[in-house]
């Protein structure tokens, strides 16, 4: 009878044990050199694998290095000058965010008053001009915090009478989902970020507050999908937010556990049984196993006569 023989192993990795750190203390772009995790074997028909469980610290910030810059333009007597503020990374509510931004605007020599409509969550920026200056626009191409502040990240915005009202609500939810990429464990998963196949292997919902802990366990009953590799000597891990920016774990370690299963095609041994009665009338059951090479076991008479309980 032809069946697949399954061999399963678990692989546990911890960010502290990585051999290559591509983004230093961010801990989100790592390689683990792990020789002979999987070696090519002609008897292996296919390999399955996937992420079984993971633990992540919520040590990443709401305002981080991927969303903390605002660029704006001030016009003064026909001269247009671009300025920017860089918001310190950290966790904010709207009051502490607006206070920080006001301080940064003031350092540039500009007086902005930021307010929030607490009914709809809309932010208003009002520039208090001096010496004939005019708030001309905010610039999407050189800004990274438009989504946070309630603006479309692909659009420049022009104030009216030095007042700019955001079209959308302030968004201080932070990172809502972690996307885990690993080429060694990838199959044919899809992602709308590029509308193509990708090395994405799993997504993990962040439903914990800052400084909490995300506990992920794959409870679907599926241990993984068919892999595209038959050899594995390292594991490359990238962890991004829902927009593809590498997460900054601020040097707080995480861990993951993978399941790797190999499937070999073989035959279970066929078993023949016969009953022998000894001279005392006791039943003795002898088992004769036929191996996978289909060895000749037809000479049952010889086997019976060589049995110590055989009597003539």
């Amino acid at each position: 009878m032809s069946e697949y023989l399954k061999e399963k192993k678990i692989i546990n990795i911890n960010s502290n044990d990585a051999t290559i750190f591509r983004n230093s203390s961010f801990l989100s772009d790592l390689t683990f050199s792990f020789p002979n995790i999987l070696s090519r074997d002609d008897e292996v028909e296919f390999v399955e694998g996937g992420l079984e469980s993971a633990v992540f610290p919520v040590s990443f910030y709401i305002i981080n290095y991927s969303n903390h810059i605002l660029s704006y333009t001030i016009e003064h007597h026909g001269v247009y000058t671009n300025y920017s503020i860089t918001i310190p990374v950290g966790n904010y509510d709207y009051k502490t965010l607006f206070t920080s931004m006001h301080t940064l605007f003031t350092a540039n020599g500009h007086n902005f008053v930021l307010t929030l409509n607490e009914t709809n969550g809309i932010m208003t920026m009002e520039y208090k001009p001096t010496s004939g200056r005019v708030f001309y626009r905010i610039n999407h191409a050189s800004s990274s915090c438009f989504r946070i502040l309630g603006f479309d990240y692909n659009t420049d915005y022009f104030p009216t009478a030095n007042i700019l009202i955001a079209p959308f609500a302030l968004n201080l939810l932070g990172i809502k989902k972690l996307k885990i990429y690993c080429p060694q464990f990838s199959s044919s998963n899809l992602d709308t970020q590029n509308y193509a196949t990708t090395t994405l292997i799993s997504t993990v919902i962040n439903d914990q507050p800052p400084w909490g802990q995300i506990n992920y366990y794959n409870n679907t009953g599926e241990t993984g999908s068919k892999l595209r590799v038959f050899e594995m000597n390292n594991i490359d891990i990238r962890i991004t937010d829902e927009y593809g920016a590498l997460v900054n774990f601020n040097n707080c370690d995480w861990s993951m556990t993978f399941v790797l299963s190999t499937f070999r095609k073989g035959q279970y041994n066929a078993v023949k049984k016969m009953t022998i009665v000894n001279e005392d009338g006791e039943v003795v059951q002898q088992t004769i196993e036929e191996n996978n090479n289909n060895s000749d076991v037809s000479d049952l008479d010889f086997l019976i006569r060589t049995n110590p309980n055989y009597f003539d």
Side-chain angles (χ1 to χ4, degrees), residues 276-284 311:
I276 302 174
V277 180
N278 64 18
E279 58 185 345
D280 297 322
E282 297 173 340
V283 175
V284 178
F311 62 95

Side-chain angles (χ1 to χ4, degrees), residues 7-304:
E7 298 176 359
K8 174 183 173 182
K9 67 174 71 172
I10 65 170
I11 304 164
N12 187 69
I13 61 175
N14 186 288
S15 56
N16 181 66
D17 302 322
T19 50
I20 299 175
F21 295 80
R22 293 186 183 84
N23 60 353
S24 187
S25 61
F26 278 42
L27 302 182
S28 57
D29 193 358
L30 309 174
T31 291
F32 300 82
S33 298
F34 216 144
N36 302 316
I37 300 174
L38 179 65
S39 300
R40 184 169 291 276
D41 187 336
D42 292 338
E43 294 182 0
V44 174
E45 293 291 319
F46 61 93
V47 181
E48 289 184 351
L51 182 65
E52 181 184 61
S53 61
V55 175
F56 299 104
V58 188
S59 54
F60 37 84
Y61 296 132
I62 294 172
I63 301 294
N64 55 63
Y65 293 113
S66 70
N67 61 12
H68 70 320
I69 297 174
L70 176 64
S71 172
Y72 63 100
T73 301
I74 299 293
E75 183 266 327
H76 185 214
H77 299 312
V79 178
Y80 297 85
T81 305
N82 292 327
Y83 297 88
S84 67
I85 61 171
T86 300
I87 306 167
V89 298
N91 295 321
Y92 294 84
D93 58 26
Y94 84 88
K95 292 181 179 178
T96 55
L97 176 62
F98 288 178
T99 298
S100 177
M101 292 176 65
H102 178 77
T103 300
L104 294 168
F105 283 129
T106 301
N108 283 347
H110 306 130
N111 181 17
F112 276 90
V113 176
L114 307 176
T115 57
L116 186 75
N117 183 325
E118 296 190 16
T119 300
N120 58 22
I122 298 294
M123 179 191 73
T124 296
M125 299 176 63
E126 182 177 0
Y127 177 51
K128 302 291 187 178
T130 57
S131 304
R133 291 180 174 84
V134 175
F135 180 22
Y136 179 64
R137 72 180 175 194
I138 57 173
N139 312 304
H140 81 276
S142 48
S143 297
S144 59
C145 64
F146 269 35
R147 284 193 181 98
I148 297 290
L149 299 180
F151 298 104
D152 184 333
Y153 69 97
N154 281 322
T155 304
D156 286 344
Y157 288 88
F158 297 84
T160 300
N162 289 314
I163 296 175
L164 180 61
I165 301 175
F168 310 111
L170 191 74
N171 182 357
L172 291 175
L173 291 176
I175 295 173
K176 299 179 288 297
K177 180 176 288 189
L178 301 178
K179 296 163 69 174
I180 303 169
Y181 297 84
C182 180
Q184 290 79 16
F185 280 88
S186 65
S187 52
S188 299
N189 297 322
L190 301 172
D191 190 349
T192 57
Q193 187 175 344
N194 297 311
Y195 284 93
T197 55
T198 174
T199 59
L200 178 70
I201 61 169
S202 189
T203 60
V204 177
I205 296 172
N206 175 22
D207 57 358
Q208 298 299 313
W211 310 117
Q213 177 174 287
I214 301 170
N215 297 303
Y216 168 81
Y217 187 78
N218 179 3
N219 56 7
T220 64
E222 298 288 335
T223 58
S225 51
K226 189 177 293 186
L227 305 185
R228 296 179 290 186
V229 299
F230 285 88
E231 292 181 80
M232 197 182 298
N233 292 297
N234 55 67
I235 296 177
D236 300 304
I237 298 291
R238 295 179 74 248
I239 306 171
T240 75
D241 63 17
E242 56 265 49
Y243 302 113
L246 287 166
V247 173
N248 180 8
F249 285 100
N250 289 295
N251 209 41
C252 294
D253 287 307
W254 49 259
S255 63
M256 300 184 198
T257 299
F258 292 86
V259 173
L260 184 67
S261 300
T262 56
F263 293 81
R264 304 172 185 270
K265 196 169 185 179
Q267 288 185 329
Y268 288 108
N269 291 339
V271 176
K272 297 180 179 179
K273 294 182 179 179
M274 63 182 302
T275 301
I276 302 174
V277 180
N278 64 18
E279 58 185 345
D280 297 322
E282 297 173 340
V283 175
V284 178
Q285 187 176 65
Q286 169 129 354
T287 299
I288 303 171
E289 186 176 285
E290 181 181 316
N291 63 25
N292 284 333
N293 295 323
N294 295 319
S295 302
D296 185 8
V297 292
S298 59
D299 191 2
L300 298 181
D301 183 66
F302 169 78
L303 294 175
I304 294 171

